[in-house]
Amino acid sequence: MNPLTALRRTPLAWRQTSHRPMRLLAAIAGVSFANVLVFFQLGLASGLYASQKRPLERLNGELVMVSRRYTNLGEPLNLPRSRLIQALGVQGVKAVTPLYIGKTDWLNRDSREKKQALIFGLSPENPALRIPEVTADPGQLLRPDGLFFDTLSKKAAGPVGQVVARDGYYDTELRGKRAVVNGLFTMGLTFAADINLLTSASNFKTWFPDQTSDDIQLGVIQLEAGVSPLQVQATLNSFLDPSVKVLTLKELEDVEVNHWRNNTSFGLIFNLGVLVGLVVGAIIVYQILYSDVSDHLPEYATMKAMGYSNGFVVGIIVQESLLLAALAFLPSLLLSMGLYALLARSTSLLIAMTLQRALAVFSLTLVIAAGSGWLATGKLRRLDPADIF
């Protein structure tokens, strides 16, 4: 009988996989655990990188002017206001608005604990960030010492949201000076700081007196309707001083993510986490199938003595590995989705399962499992039936 015909008629791989239910359940649990490790690392990395782009996605324009040496939002470099004025002379540019960015310590008035805060200075008449709460009442930014507090800031900042909702304000200190939170907004944190604050450009100088009004961190460029951002970008980059550059919002987001992925330890840690998950899965599959081959070596020797080729018997083991990978994927997917929901709720990170990620992990699982299955057949491939009988 043709071996391929026999394979089609008798699901040998499935029977080998399922004939010991407890071993099968242990294998599924092990491979699922490895998949969850991979999902966790990929989801956490994606969520952290997506969260890092939150302020950039709120920029109120189509192009952004930054220092030529700009690397990330948490370490902005100054550029002179005169460069923004130059950009106004380009056809298609509607307005250019500055965005001031600074870091300072925030004081939790109850615990006296200090946390790092990222302050954005806006021009109320044309804010560089699209913040609905500011748009609804821009006058609040102009109040002396006035601040808007991000409700998604870390809890260590104190019960700011509750106090503002109850009393209308929250008193604290920034750089040794009185500060009053009189408004709330929602944006979400980045790696740069534990707290996000908004204030007016004039108030910003109160807490950063070492910076002049000519020291701007980002220039947000707004264009006329129907104007090509790429065309205006090329024009601006062609004549502006080489110390600055103009980027599209997408390019600015890419710069931000690439910095954290390639120039910090985050990318290495996440990649190592994925690698560990894959290695764990490969070892589990290898151990299960190697034991299966060892337990049934006489049966496989009999098949080879009957004329079945190496490829046929090895194919049974590889099919077993693929079955294990497929059976373990759905539980790991469901567990990971639950883990994502828990992380998103407890950390406010933008973590969600995507079809692309699920397909990528499934494909990786199949490849790793097939490779482990093939490695587990080393003894089988070298087997001579005469050595058994």
Side-chain angles (χ1 to χ4, degrees):
M1 180 171 57
N2 188 304
L4 293 178
T5 303
L7 182 62
R8 285 195 295 269
R9 291 180 180 177
T10 306
L12 295 177
W14 170 245
R15 292 190 177 182
Q16 285 284 85
T17 303
S18 61
H19 84 287
R20 291 188 178 179
M22 295 309 297
R23 177 184 285 186
L24 174 61
L25 289 176
I28 290 175
V31 177
S32 295
F33 172 73
N35 282 348
V36 170
L37 284 179
V38 175
F39 271 124
F40 175 76
Q41 295 296 329
L42 292 176
L44 188 59
S46 175
L48 288 172
Y49 295 146
S51 299
Q52 190 64 18
K53 297 187 294 184
R54 282 166 163 166
L56 305 181
E57 293 170 343
R58 299 290 191 98
L59 290 174
N60 187 22
E62 292 75 36
L63 298 173
V64 183
M65 185 186 300
V66 295
S67 168
R68 177 68 61 178
R69 296 180 292 115
Y70 175 92
T71 59
N72 69 97
L73 190 68
E75 299 176 2
L77 299 172
N78 294 343
L79 59 106
R81 177 182 287 272
S82 59
R83 303 294 176 238
L84 275 63
I85 297 174
Q86 285 181 289
L88 279 172
V90 174
Q91 185 177 3
V93 174
K94 178 181 179 182
V96 182
T97 183
L99 178 61
Y100 300 93
I101 305 173
K103 281 185 180 180
T104 189
D105 287 332
W106 163 275
L107 178 66
N108 182 331
R109 71 183 190 189
D110 300 318
S111 66
R112 311 308 293 177
E113 182 182 6
K114 290 185 178 181
K115 288 293 180 181
Q116 195 167 59
L118 192 66
I119 306 181
F120 297 93
L122 308 177
S123 300
E125 65 278 4
N126 186 15
L129 295 175
R130 291 190 299 269
I131 307 293
E133 295 87 346
V134 172
T135 304
D137 191 6
Q140 290 226 48
L141 281 181
L142 294 173
R143 294 175 60 176
D145 308 325
L147 291 169
F148 273 63
F149 178 87
D150 189 349
T151 56
L152 294 180
S153 298
K154 290 187 177 179
K155 294 180 179 179
V160 183
Q162 299 92 313
V163 173
V164 173
R166 184 190 66 216
D167 302 334
Y169 68 94
Y170 180 96
D171 275 316
T172 186
E173 291 181 8
L174 288 178
R175 290 195 162 187
K177 297 181 180 180
R178 180 174 182 264
V180 181
V181 174
N182 46 42
L184 302 174
F185 73 104
T186 300
M187 183 168 65
L189 294 180
T190 67
F191 294 140
D194 304 311
I195 300 158
N196 288 330
L197 301 170
L198 296 178
T199 190
S200 66
S202 57
N203 285 337
F204 184 88
K205 301 307 174 186
T206 301
W207 291 299
F208 297 93
D210 51 322
Q211 294 192 33
T212 70
S213 58
D214 287 333
D215 293 330
I216 297 165
Q217 283 66 58
L218 271 74
V220 181
I221 302 172
Q222 301 165 347
L223 304 180
E224 300 283 358
V227 175
S228 168
L230 294 179
Q231 184 176 349
V232 175
Q233 178 192 24
T235 302
L236 289 169
N237 283 328
S238 67
F239 77 86
L240 285 174
D241 189 90
S243 63
V244 299
K245 58 184 176 182
V246 176
L247 304 174
T248 64
L249 299 187
K250 177 64 168 59
E251 289 172 343
L252 187 66
E253 291 175 5
D254 290 343
V255 169
E256 190 77 24
V257 172
N258 288 337
H259 168 77
W260 293 100
R261 179 184 289 136
N262 302 324
N263 299 332
T264 69
S265 58
F266 289 103
L268 177 62
I269 291 171
F270 292 138
N271 291 337
L272 284 177
V274 171
L275 180 61
V276 167
L278 294 175
V279 169
V280 168
I283 291 174
I284 291 171
V285 173
Y286 175 83
Q287 291 289 351
I288 293 291
L289 296 180
Y290 183 83
S291 298
D292 181 76
V293 170
S294 299
D295 292 346
H296 297 91
L297 210 56
E299 289 87 342
Y300 289 122
T302 301
M303 294 180 70
K304 293 183 75 172
M306 292 171 61
Y308 288 93
S309 67
N310 252 344
F312 178 79
V313 291
V314 169
I316 296 174
I317 306 302
V318 172
Q319 287 181 67
E320 287 186 52
S321 69
L322 296 176
L323 281 171
L324 286 176
L327 291 171
F329 181 73
L330 182 58
S332 66
L333 179 64
L334 295 176
L335 284 171
S336 299
M337 291 174 69
L339 181 61
Y340 282 7
L342 177 63
L343 285 172
R345 188 165 53 250
S346 59
T347 66
S348 298
L349 291 175
L350 301 174
I351 302 178
M353 184 63 68
T354 63
L355 178 61
Q356 182 180 6
R357 186 180 306 141
L359 291 176
V361 173
F362 183 57
S363 301
L364 279 173
T365 305
L366 292 178
V367 171
I368 294 296
S372 299
W374 185 84
L375 289 174
T377 63
K379 183 186 294 187
L380 183 57
R381 284 180 274 119
R382 297 188 299 269
L383 177 65
D384 186 343
D387 296 335
I388 302 297
F389 304 106

